[in-house]
Amino acid sequence: MATEYAGISRTYGADEDRSTKQFFKFKHHSTAGQVTLCSAITDFPVGTLQNKPAAAGRAAEIMMIGWSKVEVEATSDIAIGDKLGPHTDGRLIKKSVADNDVVNAIAEAAATSVTGDIITAMVFPASWVTVAYGVSAEDLRVP
């Protein structure tokens, strides 16, 4: 069962009805003070949506740091300790150490290759994983 622990969150305005996107990844919108759904694997997420804003302008609580429930796109099995980042639909997907992957969560639970699983993940500000600077999978492992 997925769980959450209090972390650091901030309230933004939703860009539209996001009532079906709880536990998805969001990024800054071009309108100041608003967030929108991540829609590319290269998007730099602000955090994970914690509530269900039902219209544009409604409060969207975004967890930036902490342990959150997240919805995953498990195109391959996700194991505890796997690095996760945004997918094209706002879900999190397993990331490799390929050059310039955006990572902003570490799986705290496993998921089989089923889209829509909700698991617990440690979420943090987005960063790039790059082999160009000598970062290895061992450097990123969870103790």
Side-chain angles (χ1 to χ4, degrees), residues 15-67:
D15 64 325
E16 62 183 70
D17 179 351
R18 296 299 186 178
S19 57
T20 62
K21 302 300 181 187
Q22 186 178 31
F23 309 129
F24 281 57
K25 286 296 178 178
F26 279 72
K27 63 182 179 179
H28 287 287
H29 189 273
S30 58
T31 302
Q34 287 191 354
V35 288
T36 190
L37 186 69
C38 286
S39 58
I41 62 170
T42 55
D43 282 345
F44 224 63
V46 175
T48 306
L49 182 65
Q50 299 298 297
N51 62 341
K52 298 178 180 182
R58 293 240 175 123
E61 183 186 350
I62 303 293
M63 183 181 289
M64 300 172 180
I65 299 173
W67 285 263

Side-chain angles (χ1 to χ4, degrees), residues 22-127:
Q22 186 178 31
F23 309 129
F24 281 57
K25 286 296 178 178
F26 279 72
K27 63 182 179 179
H28 287 287
H29 189 273
S30 58
T31 302
Q34 287 191 354
V35 288
T36 190
L37 186 69
C38 286
S39 58
I41 62 170
T42 55
D43 282 345
F44 224 63
V46 175
T48 306
L49 182 65
Q50 299 298 297
N51 62 341
K52 298 178 180 182
R58 293 240 175 123
E61 183 186 350
I62 303 293
M63 183 181 289
M64 300 172 180
I65 299 173
W67 285 263
S68 177
K69 294 178 183 176
V70 296
E71 190 160 327
V72 295
E73 177 90 22
T75 54
S76 62
D77 288 352
I78 294 172
I80 295 170
D82 280 348
K83 277 61 70 189
L84 307 173
H87 192 48
T88 56
D89 59 5
R91 292 179 175 96
L92 283 172
I93 190 166
K94 181 178 176 177
K95 296 290 185 156
S96 67
V97 291
D99 202 23
N100 292 325
D101 268 353
V102 175
V103 172
N104 72 321
I106 296 175
E108 296 261 331
T112 57
S113 40
V114 176
T115 295
D117 274 359
I118 295 176
I119 65 169
T120 301
M122 179 177 62
V123 298
F124 47 84
S127 59

